[in-house]
Amino acid sequence: MKIYGCHLHQKLIKEALFIFSGWMGESMQLLPCPLKEAYSLAEAFARIRVISPEGVLNWDPFSLEVDFETRRLKECRCGKGTVYDGHLYSFLLRHRVEGSWDEGVVVITPDYLCSRQKGEDRYHLRYIIFDFPTLISLPGIIEAPARRSEEGYLWDLGDFRIPRILAALLIQTRFFFWNEEPFCDDPLCSLYNAHWQEELLVAKGNQRLCERHSEFLIKRKRSDPIIVSKKCETVRKKHPCE
């Protein structure tokens, strides 16, 4: 799998790749950020800014907004608070990354990303956007999942738990490129689709797959041609935080 990452977060990304490789037995190729010197995309990025959670994009940007995007791309000012439509962001990067669907391509970004819930017009902040390439938003890991209280949670990227969480998101991405089904109903499986931060800490922090996905991973490692084409059939368990 090919990983593109911001040079400002190389240490964090390399720690996550070390954890991922040890678990999955798969080597990763870390490549420089595909946004570097992508000045021609400045206006396009200005257009995909989300200016209202109710599904409103910035289709007619001011020249100052385009200038800001030009400086952002030139001076590596990503992650300054602007929120982008995640799938359109991925589309803009599609021709700036190398690799195939079978290989898997991930861009780890300090930008804020969002997408619409299926059947809704409203945008929601995300920590991962499954597309080609898949995007992982570093600030999204902290801010996208809801909190039930203020104790024991993630506050910044310096938290010692972040590399393990990022590694688990890379594992989800690996499953996405294998079978387009990166989620599991088991709240203790690292593929669980966590919406609350405590769920994220439990699912992504325990470095565990459910029985079904563990078997699938073993068969993949043995080059078995099995393809998982339906959702995990694990019985929905009560989440330990509930």
Side-chain angles (χ1 to χ4, degrees):
M1 195 155 65
K2 292 186 176 181
I3 310 295
Y4 290 82
C6 174
H7 74 278
L8 298 177
H9 299 281
Q10 290 286 295
K11 183 176 183 294
L12 167 59
I13 295 171
K14 287 179 179 179
E15 289 178 10
L17 295 187
F18 179 79
I19 296 169
F20 174 92
S21 297
W23 188 2
M24 301 290 282
E26 178 182 348
S27 62
M28 312 282 280
Q29 184 178 3
L30 182 57
L31 300 166
C33 176
L35 289 179
K36 189 175 182 180
E37 300 181 355
Y39 313 136
S40 62
L41 296 178
E43 184 172 351
F45 273 106
R47 290 177 181 272
I48 66 168
R49 289 181 175 191
V50 177
I51 57 177
S52 168
E54 282 70 40
V56 181
L57 296 179
N58 193 36
W59 290 121
D60 189 21
F62 294 110
S63 59
L64 286 175
E65 294 171 316
V66 177
D67 291 343
F68 170 84
E69 292 295 337
T70 301
R71 291 195 304 274
R72 180 177 77 90
L73 296 170
K74 184 177 181 179
E75 301 171 11
C76 195
R77 293 189 179 186
C78 297
K80 298 301 182 182
T82 305
V83 182
Y84 302 91
D85 180 298
H87 291 288
L88 293 177
Y89 191 112
S90 177
F91 176 78
L92 292 180
L93 294 184
R94 197 161 296 167
H95 299 294
R96 296 191 63 85
V97 297
E98 298 178 355
S100 65
W101 184 279
D102 290 337
E103 287 179 289
V105 180
V106 186
V107 176
I108 300 173
T109 175
D111 277 330
Y112 289 86
L113 305 172
C114 65
S115 68
R116 294 181 176 93
Q117 193 76 14
K118 188 174 181 179
E120 295 182 9
D121 290 330
R122 186 177 179 83
Y123 276 106
H124 298 272
L125 200 63
R126 306 295 187 194
Y127 52 81
I128 191 165
I129 301 289
F130 291 107
D131 207 318
F132 185 86
T134 285
L135 308 175
I136 297 177
S137 167
L138 292 176
I141 295 174
I142 306 295
E143 300 183 40
R147 295 189 182 108
R148 288 191 172 94
S149 68
E150 300 299 319
E151 297 182 4
Y153 295 122
L154 302 168
W155 292 105
D156 58 58
L157 293 175
D159 192 293
F160 71 94
R161 296 167 290 185
I162 293 292
R164 189 173 294 274
I165 292 171
L166 181 55
L169 294 177
L170 291 173
I171 290 167
Q172 270 193 289
T173 303
R174 180 71 275 181
F175 273 83
F176 170 70
F177 284 116
W178 274 338
N179 54 42
E180 299 186 49
E181 182 49 63
F183 299 124
C184 179
D185 292 331
D186 185 343
L188 298 180
C189 179
S190 288
L191 303 187
Y192 183 67
N193 187 19
H195 294 286
W196 293 84
Q197 200 174 96
E198 57 261 49
E199 294 176 342
L200 185 77
L201 290 169
V202 170
K204 312 304 181 194
N206 63 16
Q207 201 167 324
R208 170 191 175 276
L209 294 175
C210 67
E211 182 178 354
R212 179 179 174 82
H213 284 112
S214 293
E215 291 176 356
F216 173 73
L217 179 58
I218 291 170
K219 290 178 179 179
R220 286 293 309 204
K221 287 182 176 180
R222 293 174 179 170
S223 300
D224 192 305
I226 181 174
I227 297 176
V228 174
S229 60
K230 58 183 179 179
K231 293 184 178 180
C232 176
E233 296 174 350
T234 304
V235 176
R236 175 67 168 93
K237 301 176 183 178
K238 184 177 181 180
H239 194 276
C241 297
E242 294 176 347

